[in-house]
Amino acid sequence: MAYSFPEEVLEYVFAFLSSHKDRNAVSLVCKSWYEIERWCRRRIFIGNCYAVSPQIVIRRFPEVRAVKIKGKPHFADFNLVPEGWGAYVYPWISAMVRSYPWLEEIKLKRMVVTDESLELLSKSFKNFKVLVLSSCEGFTTDGLASIAANCRNLRELDLRECEVEDLSGHWLSHFPDNFTSLVSLNMSCLGSEVSFSALERLVSRCPNLRTLRLNRAVPVEKLPNLLRRAPQLVEFGTGAYSAENQTDIFSNLVEAFSGCKHLKSLSGFWDVDPAYLPAMYYACTGITSLNLSNATVQSPDLVELIIQCPNLKCLWRERELIEDMTTQVLDYIEDAGLKALPSYCKDLQELRVFPSDPYGAEPNVSLTEQGLVTVSAGCPKLQSVLYFCRQMSNAALITIARNRPNLIRFRLCIIDPQAPDYLTLEPLDTGFGAIVEHCKELLRLSMSGLLTDRVFEYIGTHAKKLEMLSIAFAGDSDLGLHNVLSGCESLRKLEIMDCPFGDKALLANAAKLETMRSLWMSSCSVSYGACKLLGQKMPKLNVEVMDERGHPDSRPETCPVEKLYIYRTVAGPRVDKPNFVWTMDEDAVLRLS
Amino acid sequence: MAYENDMNLKATELRLGLPGTIDESQIKEPSFLKSNNKRSSGDMDNSANEDECSPVPKAQVVGWPPVRSYRKNVLQQQKKNFDSDVLGMYVKVSMDGAPYLRKIDIKVYKNYPDLLVALENMFKFSIGVYSEREGYNGSEYAPTYEDKDGDWMLVGDVPWDMFVNSCKRLRIMKGSEVKGLGCL
């Protein structure tokens, strides 16, 4: 029915669809809808840069304005992916330079970005507005200088947890004097000092600046000047938050913070001197997000600060904001601190507690499972948890599950691998089983502690909405993996380290892998022979063996591979593999046999 | 040396070790042969010494616990500012040519000889005799540390307490760089 609706009407309607899932669904209705939709899609999200090629993307979507691409597997965050693995953004940028001259936004996660890429993008996209680099590496402050100098319409420059080679702080001075469009600047991961006068002038001339996250090198004395020039700030990250005893600094800070009536998010706080924390109290009533994960603040000071933030919660509007932490603290908050949270922060949605001493043999703080139990009982909106601790019990997990069936993310790291229930010395199977049984909307789960095949039975039976599962040192046999792959209908990402899973479950559930984004297995028992077989059977998957001991042919076929990364793709085997990665495909199998 | 009698047996013994761990039989020169008036009294045998000094960290698995490396750096920096009586003062120790770094709690030691013996045991090398004029004579190694100002100083010049309060990390230098220091 080509004359049912004019194209323009359909286009107008499609413009209201922002979710990728909805757009993808629409494009499958019929050929004409596919055509109309692809011409009007402006934002694309590529969850795995090797699942598709730039050419295929550009061919299908010719009018894109915003791109988000993810590269390395998640476990790269914990040093499990060797240097030189891949995820280079340059091929994407050079292809987009030719085909998307009006590109405005690039957001990258876990990709390798070079100065050449940054320079190319800064000179090619005339209307470039937003650059967000999350956990990226490979560039220096020279690349940032290109961005500052050439992107005349830049609104956002957000460097989150990137590894930047810091040659100097001079890059910031490259923003031209007539540059006034900045809305968001996050330089918290950089080391060197920028010119404070350049920073002050930049802040003064950008009236729409709402996010400013400084780096550690900005001393606390400089904060009042900056805050006075930007009282409209909504998100602010301090630098080092301590100084030699200077009482006028404190009063200047109080005055400056009290002028910021719109602050919703605070972060930074390196080297924090608790004496300076009260300076922020005037700004705290509107605070919904507090990131204290750099602050070695003792529990009482932390509680004082949190008490000042009665509206602490999380902003829901976009997926990115969900990752904006509600409360991130080190475990110095202790059980006592966590006990205070529910009384003062009833709206808490997300809590992250990081370890202050992850490698210490003994606990250095009094943080146990009790803290989490208390928060789960008292904060009815709590839905997202990341918690590091040294002891856990099934009873606590069951309580948490019953208290908070609305949990959607639950990541628990008990620091000692395979630690049992500390009360009963049993595995934690029933505890995690309770979590998946009660929390029916659970999207993401990370488990730790002593776990047998039984926990995977529970997961396969109950975790029907689960999209991402992270497992370490768990299970007894292939039955565990089989239960997950056959039972978890919504599973997209599965990452496994140091588990006794081998060939059987993987080969029996090969088809499942095509419905997922990726599977990571390291230090497991999957043999080279099984990998070859899988690569042969499943042409739509890239089955990549990663092994720093040399070519797997130099070892018997039954020898387990070091690391295995399997992902679905329409782009065929990678062409940029390093010498420790091999793709198991038909050609390879024939060549090697 | 307590282990010297066992050296032949050790050579045939199967043991689990972290990659890069040097086999004890490869030590060039048993330390007891060197004259070093800074060394602590000899009636403590080596194994007891080791127990008293740096607690051996548990073998760490790569990727566990799942903490990002930038976060580890933040914590290591800040720990020094913290109440070190309670938490100890862990500093990184690197040795030129060693595949990975170690950490020791310098608050555990009472003086320079204790610290130097611990370092010698940890990295299986020997340091030489300290003199104010010439630094460490008699070996190709010199212990250095980074102070609060970010400068690299020779270990031993300042009073022990001052050293403990200003030491941010240790580096055992080797070879030609050491000679450079000795000329100062």
Side-chain angles (χ1 to χ4, degrees):
Chain A
M1 296 268 283
Y3 46 87
S4 56
F5 276 124
E7 270 184 27
E8 296 78 17
V9 175
L10 283 171
E11 251 190 64
Y12 184 76
V13 172
F14 293 169
F16 291 99
L17 298 173
S18 51
S19 126
H20 299 291
K21 283 189 184 147
D22 290 341
R23 284 223 162 225
N24 290 343
V26 148
S27 68
L28 292 174
V29 166
C30 63
K31 280 186 186 158
S32 65
W33 280 37
Y34 176 91
E35 279 300 307
I36 296 166
E37 194 283 319
R38 77 181 187 90
W39 278 95
C40 68
R41 192 174 310 204
R42 298 282 174 262
R43 311 185 72 87
I44 49 174
F45 168 66
I46 295 157
N48 173 3
C49 64
Y50 290 118
V52 68
S53 71
Q55 289 69 33
I56 293 174
V57 172
I58 290 168
R59 196 170 62 218
R60 180 171 171 190
F61 300 114
E63 299 275 339
V64 164
R65 296 276 187 275
V67 162
K68 179 170 178 179
I69 312 175
K70 292 188 175 181
K72 299 185 198 173
H74 173 236
F75 275 176
D77 285 354
F78 314 127
N79 302 325
L80 282 169
V81 175
E83 279 283 313
W85 178 82
Y88 306 107
V89 80
Y90 190 83
W92 289 89
I93 296 203
S94 73
M96 293 192 297
V97 156
R98 284 192 294 276
S99 306
Y100 297 150
W102 299 110
L103 193 71
E104 294 177 6
E105 259 184 50
I106 294 179
K107 296 184 181 177
L108 305 174
K109 188 164 187 178
R110 287 190 206 99
M111 294 199 75
V112 176
V113 181
T114 56
D115 286 348
E116 285 74 31
S117 307
L118 292 175
E119 195 182 338
L120 180 60
L121 99 79
S122 75
K123 291 185 172 156
S124 314
F125 300 123
K126 298 299 171 202
N127 207 22
F128 195 71
K129 296 194 171 117
V130 173
L131 183 64
V132 177
L133 301 178
S134 194
S135 305
C136 293
E137 51 163 0
F139 58 105
T140 77
T141 40
D142 285 352
L144 297 178
S146 309
I147 299 287
N150 301 321
C151 299
R152 298 305 168 104
N153 296 311
L154 193 72
R155 294 212 187 130
E156 272 183 57
L157 177 60
D158 190 343
L159 306 172
R160 293 180 196 172
E161 303 174 12
C162 290
E163 280 185 36
V164 184
E165 195 187 326
D166 213 317
L167 302 173
S168 86
H170 195 57
W171 65 273
L172 190 90
S173 312
H174 284 258
F175 283 112
D177 289 335
N178 60 358
F179 170 75
T180 59
S181 49
L182 199 65
V183 172
S184 168
L185 176 63
N186 177 1
M187 45 184 253
S188 53
C189 62
L190 298 179
S192 33
E193 246 180 47
V194 297
S195 148
F196 297 129
S197 56
L199 180 59
E200 278 171 20
R201 286 196 309 275
L202 179 65
V203 167
S204 299
R205 67 177 184 270
C206 295
N208 298 319
L209 191 69
R210 67 188 277 288
T211 299
L212 179 63
R213 302 221 192 256
L214 303 170
N215 65 348
R216 192 175 188 171
V218 178
V220 73
E221 305 89 81
K222 298 289 179 185
L223 295 189
N225 273 342
L226 288 169
L227 289 173
R228 267 185 227 119
R229 285 168 166 74
Q232 76 282 5
L233 278 179
V234 174
E235 298 178 331
F236 182 62
T238 75
Y241 204 68
S242 61
E244 307 293 308
N245 284 329
Q246 287 177 44
T247 40
D248 50 331
I249 294 180
F250 185 84
S251 50
N252 287 343
L253 277 175
V254 170
E255 194 207 318
F257 271 112
S258 56
C260 294
K261 306 209 189 294
H262 306 278
L263 275 180
K264 291 212 162 79
S265 167
L266 285 175
S267 62
F269 302 115
W270 287 274
D271 312 312
V272 74
D273 180 349
Y276 285 102
L277 286 177
M280 289 190 300
Y281 290 173
Y282 286 105
C284 281
T285 39
I287 295 291
T288 57
S289 169
L290 198 54
N291 183 343
L292 296 167
S293 56
N294 294 326
T296 50
V297 191
Q298 285 284 47
S299 179
D301 300 308
L302 207 56
V303 175
E304 270 309 308
L305 180 60
I306 290 174
I307 286 172
Q308 301 296 329
C309 304
N311 292 314
L312 206 60
K313 61 165 179 249
C314 180
L315 297 168
W316 257 105
R317 278 173 232 134
E318 290 172 22
R319 180 130 178 103
E320 279 86 24
L321 286 174
I322 292 173
E323 285 167 337
D324 204 320
M325 287 313 105
T326 307
T327 304
Q328 297 194 72
V329 289
L330 293 174
D331 55 13
Y332 291 123
I333 191 174
E334 300 191 341
D335 284 341
L338 287 179
K339 282 189 162 72
L341 262 185
S343 327
Y344 298 101
C345 306
K346 274 256 162 273
D347 290 339
L348 195 72
Q349 289 180 357
E350 184 155 8
L351 174 68
R352 290 193 177 192
V353 179
F354 295 99
S356 54
D357 185 16
Y359 303 106
E362 294 299 319
N364 60 328
V365 292
S366 174
L367 179 91
T368 67
E369 81 284 7
Q370 279 314 307
L372 185 57
V373 172
T374 313
V375 174
S376 76
C379 295
K381 298 187 184 170
L382 186 71
Q383 54 176 232
S384 184
V385 169
L386 169 61
Y387 198 77
F388 282 80
C389 61
R390 288 177 190 270
Q391 67 184 41
M392 187 50 63
S393 65
N394 284 311
L397 284 171
I398 293 169
T399 306
I400 292 166
R402 290 203 178 123
N403 286 340
R404 288 278 67 77
N406 51 326
L407 282 174
I408 59 171
R409 259 173 241 108
F410 188 71
R411 296 158 71 186
L412 180 69
C413 178
I414 307 162
I415 291 189
D416 218 353
Q418 302 186 312
D421 177 327
Y422 78 101
L423 295 169
T424 64
L425 297 184
E426 283 173 0
L428 290 169
D429 300 335
T430 42
F432 280 104
I435 295 279
V436 293
E437 196 187 330
H438 292 272
C439 306
K440 301 199 193 304
E441 304 298 314
L442 198 67
L443 296 174
R444 183 169 179 184
L445 177 65
S446 302
M447 304 194 294
S448 54
L450 183 64
L451 296 164
T452 72
D453 277 352
R454 171 138 278 184
V455 74
F456 298 112
E457 262 182 60
Y458 298 139
I459 290 176
T461 308
H462 295 287
K464 296 304 181 188
K465 300 268 178 82
L466 194 68
E467 296 184 358
M468 183 169 177
L469 179 62
S470 312
I471 313 170
F473 308 105
D476 311 308
S477 76
D478 270 44
L479 200 52
L481 180 58
H482 174 70
N483 276 324
V484 170
L485 290 175
S486 56
C488 296
E489 291 160 4
S490 311
L491 197 63
R492 294 189 300 115
K493 288 180 279 185
L494 179 57
E495 44 185 28
I496 303 173
M497 60 177 272
D498 293 84
C499 295
F501 299 145
D503 303 343
K504 291 199 214 73
L506 203 56
L507 291 173
N509 292 283
K512 171 73 173 175
L513 300 175
E514 273 182 12
T515 69
M516 292 166 53
R517 183 188 294 174
S518 65
L519 166 65
W520 166 282
M521 292 178 75
S522 56
S523 305
C524 297
S525 309
V526 181
S527 71
Y528 177 44
C531 294
K532 284 198 285 189
L533 192 56
L534 196 60
Q536 221 178 349
K537 269 175 68 173
M538 312 293 297
K540 291 193 204 152
L541 296 178
N542 276 353
V543 177
E544 290 179 5
V545 166
M546 210 183 307
D547 212 314
E548 290 183 285
R549 297 171 294 179
H551 202 295
D553 268 353
S554 58
R555 291 177 293 279
E557 280 223 349
T558 49
C559 187
V561 300
E562 220 170 58
K563 293 169 186 164
L564 181 59
Y565 185 49
I566 301 175
Y567 54 92
R568 64 180 176 190
T569 181
V570 294
R574 281 176 60 181
V575 296
D576 60 355
K577 294 190 287 281
N579 61 3
F580 51 86
V581 173
W582 297 272
T583 308
M584 307 286 105
D585 57 7
E586 274 193 351
D587 293 349
V589 168
L590 288 171
R591 274 201 304 271
L592 298 168
S593 61
Chain B
M1 289 280 143
Y3 58 73
E4 203 201 16
N5 297 333
D6 296 332
M7 250 210 270
N8 289 332
L9 288 175
K10 287 270 185 219
T12 55
E13 211 178 70
L14 281 178
R15 50 189 264 280
L16 287 175
L18 293 171
T21 309
I22 302 165
D23 191 6
E24 282 165 349
S25 59
Q26 287 171 24
I27 295 171
K28 291 171 195 159
E29 202 176 355
S31 319
F32 75 90
L33 284 179
K34 305 183 84 317
S35 64
N36 184 346
N37 56 6
K38 294 268 185 175
R39 189 163 298 290
S40 48
S41 66
D43 54 350
M44 281 193 289
D45 75 357
N46 248 19
S47 48
N49 223 6
E50 209 148 278
D51 287 345
E52 201 179 85
C53 299
S54 49
V56 178
K58 283 190 199 168
Q60 285 168 27
V61 178
V62 176
W64 194 265
V67 177
R68 308 257 339 246
S69 30
Y70 79 90
R71 197 173 286 288
K72 292 179 216 163
N73 294 337
V74 162
L75 297 168
Q76 282 156 10
Q77 283 292 318
Q78 289 184 307
K79 280 198 74 170
K80 269 152 232 146
N81 300 336
F82 215 65
D83 184 1
S84 7
D85 289 330
V86 174
L87 291 179
M89 186 102 88
Y90 278 89
V91 300
K92 278 189 198 174
V93 188
S94 63
M95 165 132 153
D96 292 353
Y100 52 89
L101 281 63
R102 303 296 300 271
K103 270 245 175 118
I104 57 170
D105 179 357
I106 54 179
K107 285 246 154 189
V108 161
Y109 310 105
K110 300 181 187 49
N111 50 42
Y112 283 120
D114 284 357
L115 172 66
L116 295 174
V117 165
L119 290 175
E120 285 180 322
N121 288 334
M122 185 179 262
F123 288 98
K124 309 286 186 271
F125 74 105
S126 45
I127 280 178
V129 182
Y130 169 81
S131 73
E132 207 172 305
R133 214 167 140 259
E134 291 177 25
Y136 287 85
N137 244 336
S139 94
E140 52 176 337
Y141 296 98
T144 64
Y145 69 100
E146 186 183 23
D147 71 2
K148 278 186 175 148
D149 301 324
D151 298 319
W152 285 93
M153 318 287 292
L154 187 67
V155 168
D157 286 333
V158 302
W160 173 254
D161 285 337
M162 192 187 291
F163 163 74
V164 166
N165 286 324
S166 56
C167 171
K168 280 168 54 180
R169 59 185 293 174
L170 285 158
R171 175 184 164 200
I172 300 165
M173 281 186 172
K174 180 181 169 174
S176 52
E177 278 181 272
V178 168
K179 297 201 183 70
L181 268 181
C183 295
L184 291 171

